[in-house]
Amino acid sequence: MIKGLGTDIIEVNRIAEKIANDSGFKELVFSENEIEYCEKQKYKSEHYAARFAAKEAFFKALGTGWASGTHFNEIEIQRDAAGKPFLNFLGETKKTFAALQQQKISVSLSHTKTLATAVVIIED
């Protein structure tokens, strides 16, 4: 049964500007693994933006907004061997999410040169 559904869309240039001004935004929002992945991509801003959208969509799916005990850089978008994205939780966020006893999370990412979007479904 679906417990939560979240979606988000963001303009790629908004994320590109935040990353370019080197204010620590990248480290605040993205995990080390995400930064390493995105920096290797030809159009890195699109990949950063899609991951940002997934994190926003996740909080919407939870129904809580940005929940206490969670951090953006502890919600990590990884890819399995086939390239399918999935959410991985780190640190405090991993403990917070485990306490909610959710069983399955599906995530889908998409981006163009100008827009990035993500959908997250939480099931029990």
Side-chain angles (χ1 to χ4, degrees):
M1 177 166 68
I2 293 177
K3 293 186 85 173
L5 170 67
T7 185
D8 194 66
I9 187 168
I10 189 161
E11 295 168 332
V12 171
N13 69 344
R14 287 182 56 205
I15 298 300
E17 288 171 7
K18 289 192 175 283
I19 289 169
N21 87 23
D22 199 31
S23 64
F25 173 81
K26 200 176 353 181
E27 294 75 16
L28 181 67
V29 175
F30 303 101
S31 73
E32 289 179 20
N33 289 333
E34 288 175 311
I35 293 169
E36 182 180 330
Y37 172 81
C38 292
E39 288 297 319
K40 291 179 182 176
Q41 305 306 308
K42 184 174 182 179
Y43 303 108
K44 62 184 175 184
S45 295
E46 294 173 23
H47 294 272
Y48 278 118
R51 280 152 180 75
F52 183 87
K55 294 168 193 241
E56 290 284 331
F58 168 70
F59 285 122
K60 291 174 183 176
L62 276 180
T64 62
W66 190 358
S68 176
T70 61
H71 304 279
F72 268 77
N73 64 357
E74 292 181 348
I75 301 167
E76 181 177 74
I77 311 305
Q78 293 187 348
R79 298 164 45 129
D80 68 14
K84 180 182 174 183
F86 67 92
L87 291 177
N88 183 48
F89 302 100
L90 309 166
E92 272 187 64
T93 302
K94 184 174 186 173
K95 293 174 191 170
T96 299
F97 191 70
L100 297 175
Q101 299 179 345
Q102 307 295 334
Q103 293 185 1
K104 182 177 180 188
I105 302 173
S106 299
V107 60
S108 179
L109 310 174
S110 188
H111 55 81
T112 66
K113 289 182 181 182
T114 58
L115 296 171
T117 188
V119 174
V120 172
I121 299 171
I122 300 174
E123 299 176 83
D124 60 3

